[in-house]
Each structure stands twice: as C-alpha cells, then as structure tokens.
Amino acid sequence: MNYMGSLLYKEFTLARHATVLIFPLFGLMLLIPSYPYTVAFIYTCLEIFFIFLNGRENKDVLFTALLPVEKRDVVRARTLMIVIIQLFNILISVPFALIGRNINPLGENTVGIEANAAFYAIILIMFAIFNALFLPIFYKTGYSAGRALCFAGGAASLWLIAAEVAVQLIPALKTNLDNWLAAGRPLRLALLGAAALIYFAATLTASRRAQALFERVDL
C-alpha cells in the first residue's frame, strides 16, 4: 500500500483523459436560468468512461498490472481517481449553483429541481449507481468499457429521470426539496448526508467486488 501514492500519480499523469480538464467546466450550466441541471453531471460519467476507453486502447490495464504492484491496488488506484474526479466536479459546481440562484430572472428553475442540497443528494446517488455497476462490469474482463457504460450509464440516467419526475409530481417532495426555503433545509441536508453515505458505501463495495473479479482475469 505504500506505493498507492505513486499509482495515483500515474493515473492522473498517464491515464488521465483530456475531458478531466474540460468537463468540470460544465458546472457553468448551473448558471443557466432554467435548465435540467442534472445533465451537467452526466458528462462526469462520460468523462470516466473515456478514461477507461482510452486506457483500454493504450493497454493501460496490462501496463499497470505488469508493474510490481498487486492487481487489487490497480483497481484501488483507479477507484480513488474516480472518487476524486466526481467529488471535484461537484465541488467546483457549488459556486455556480449559488450564483445561478441569485441571477435567475425567473426566481426559480422552471425545468428541473433547484441546485440545492437535495439536488446534490440526487447527483451523489447517481454516481453511486454508476460506480456500483461500472467498476465490477469493467474489471470482470479488464476491457469491457462499452458494456459497462451501457449498464451503468443507463441505470444512472433512469435514476435521474425518476428523481426529477418524482420531485415535480409528488407535492410533498416539490414543497420540501425543490426550493431554497429555510423550512425544508434540515430535510435537504439530511438527504445530502444520507446520499454521501450511500455513495461511499456503494463505491467501496463496488471497488472490492471489482478487485476480486480482476484478480481472476488472465491478462
């Protein structure tokens, strides 16, 4: 484990895709007055897919596995990279969410949920679903990036659609989640905290499952 820092450095220098530098800027979408803000974070899932796809074409998995490291640590380093990317993309979007709230001439998002704590809870659960499916599917073979995206991306997209529709159609959710009012703030923050726990638990479980599968792959 003392070489994990070196593996992570390798991930961000050799395995990094150009979209890692570009897609975080899509947080600017949260400045659009009325827009389905969840769309901005679908690109984060694509960003991760491009990293795996680019690595497959460059035989990154084989290269890393040939290093004097355990195969489990190959998965751990990539998982940590994914977590850093996902949390960074969320963090960098927060100022835009706050600014967008104040400059919206309509006073509210008429298309989707407001970019508040409940919104970020939805995003964290989306990432949890994506990680839970993508990592084990990919590392079962070490190259099935497209198949992993189909299942993980499809499930994550269905979650976003279901969450947005539920918030708009269920009056109790609309009243408490789709606004910035102080009355619903404790609930929104509680949902964010619960989503964070789900995110880390799902990602950790997926990583461990992916490690076990990858150890059985004959490269």
Side-chain angles (χ1 to χ4, degrees):
M1 290 297 293
N2 58 344
Y3 43 74
M4 186 57 62
S6 297
L7 275 177
L8 188 60
Y9 177 78
K10 169 261 171 191
E11 291 293 316
F12 278 101
T13 53
L14 298 181
R16 183 192 69 223
H17 190 267
T19 52
V20 172
L21 303 176
I22 299 172
F23 283 3
L25 297 178
F26 287 5
L28 287 164
M29 290 181 179
L30 275 61
L31 295 175
I32 302 174
S34 286
Y35 189 79
Y37 297 135
T38 51
V39 171
F41 294 94
I42 292 176
Y43 289 98
T44 302
C45 297
L46 284 176
E47 177 182 345
I48 293 166
F49 164 69
F50 288 143
I51 291 172
F52 280 85
L53 182 63
N54 188 59
R56 185 191 70 184
E57 300 306 313
N58 293 322
K59 302 190 184 305
D60 174 74
V61 172
L62 178 60
F63 167 75
T64 308
L66 289 175
L67 296 174
V69 299
E70 296 181 8
K71 291 175 74 174
R72 285 181 173 270
D73 287 335
V74 173
V75 181
R76 290 190 184 106
R78 179 59 59 87
T79 302
L80 185 54
M81 180 191 196
I82 290 172
V83 170
I84 291 172
I85 288 172
Q86 290 172 337
L87 296 184
F88 176 76
N89 286 8
I90 286 177
L91 183 63
I92 202 171
S93 74
V94 171
F96 300 126
L98 297 176
I99 295 172
R101 168 198 176 189
N102 294 317
I103 67 173
N104 190 337
L106 301 176
E108 63 178 358
N109 184 1
T110 59
V111 177
I113 187 173
E114 298 286 344
N116 54 26
F119 164 81
Y120 283 108
I122 291 173
I123 298 303
L124 280 173
I125 294 177
M126 178 194 73
F127 286 158
I129 294 170
F130 183 84
N131 296 347
L133 292 173
F134 192 96
L135 287 170
I137 292 174
F138 178 83
Y139 281 107
K140 185 176 182 179
T141 60
Y143 62 84
S144 300
R147 183 170 180 268
L149 179 68
C150 287
F151 283 94
S157 298
L158 287 175
W159 159 253
L160 289 184
I161 294 170
E164 285 278 17
V165 170
V167 169
Q168 300 305 318
L169 297 184
I170 300 176
L173 296 181
K174 180 73 174 177
T175 301
N176 291 288
L177 303 185
D178 193 17
N179 55 65
W180 295 86
L181 299 177
R185 188 176 299 153
L187 175 59
R188 295 193 294 271
L189 291 174
L191 288 176
L192 180 60
L197 291 177
I198 292 171
Y199 169 76
F200 285 111
T203 302
L204 179 60
T205 301
S207 179
R208 289 177 174 172
R209 174 61 177 160
Q211 291 167 35
L213 290 170
F214 189 51
E215 284 197 325
R216 297 199 293 265
V217 175
D218 184 4
L219 298 173

